[in-house]
Amino acid sequence: MSLVLLQGGRVVDPTNNRDEIADVLLSDGKIQSIAPDLMTPDGTEVIDCQGQVVCPGLIDLHVHFREPGQTAKEDIATGAAAAATGGFTTVVCMPNTTPTIDNPATVKLIQERAAAAAPVNVYVTGTITLGIAGEELSPIGSLKDAGVVAITDDGKCVQNNELMRRALEYAGMFDLPVMDHCQDYSIVTDGVMHEGYWSTNLGLKGWPAAGEDLIVARNIEL
Ligand SMILES: [Zn+2]
């Protein structure tokens, strides 16, 4: 049996309404007890956590690990290492890679790279539309079979209402969440900041709030 004591950290766990300075004793990787000033047997590995937060692994629902195709920016190994360093134990990858994640083979590639190189859980999303082009639906059932956890066109928004209606219907059939970047392109056009006093003051083209609200309302209605 291996014992590890995380000593003197700020233990935060909202689920159990806990926020206190305490020790956490791990036995074979599982939490055995949490209390201030725990006594431990000889041979326990002690890790000084003073000034650090000890909490359940964080989850990031929107990461870009850029693999395949854009690994000059990031790859699964470097992105996952950065996640682990920041306390994130689970991440969800966006599908705007090159090629985009609109087919089972690309899902498989990422799963295999993650299994070989990532110290955290790496989940994959598929695109709503082929190539994130907003014109044809991706094979949503095949993506689900391959293991995607949601569909999304990442930073793009499906403008065609009928296409989005079909996407939501299929996603419902396959029990897949849809993550949408809500933006009506005809209203937002080339705005660069929130439309209001400061956009006028600075002479910068604004994004009206309606450009987001309309798509949120559409999606709820659909
Ligand atoms: Zn994104």
Side-chain angles (χ1 to χ4, degrees), residues 1 18-19 28 40-41 53-54 64 79 101 130 134 136 148 155 181 218:
M1 186 172 66
R18 186 187 288 276
D19 183 355
D28 288 334
T40 55
V53 170
V54 178
H64 293 277
I101 309 174
L130 289 176
E136 290 173 77
V148 303
H181 172 102
R218 174 198 73 173

Side-chain angles (χ1 to χ4, degrees), residues 93-107:
C93 291
M94 290 296 109
N96 65 334
T97 48
T98 310
T100 58
I101 309 174
D102 58 12
N103 61 87
T106 310
V107 176

Side-chain angles (χ1 to χ4, degrees), residues 62-64 66 94-96 153-155 181:
H62 189 123
V63 305
H64 293 277
R66 307 296 182 191
M94 290 296 109
N96 65 334
D153 272 1
D154 182 49
H181 172 102

Side-chain angles (χ1 to χ4, degrees), residues 63 65 67 75-85 88-91 93 109-123:
V63 305
F65 285 178
E67 192 171 352
D75 63 30
I76 289 167
T78 61
T85 303
F88 287 82
T89 52
T90 297
V91 298
C93 291
L109 174 90
I110 295 165
Q111 288 167 336
E112 284 173 4
R113 293 277 164 83
V120 300
N121 302 311
V122 175
Y123 291 112

Side-chain angles (χ1 to χ4, degrees), residues 33 43-44 48 53-54 60 70 84 100 105 118 132 140 164 169 197 206 208-209:
S33 50
T44 301
D48 180 6
V53 170
V54 178
D60 190 336
Q70 301 162 26
T100 58
I132 312 190
I140 296 170
M164 192 61 179
E169 282 178 359
Y197 173 81

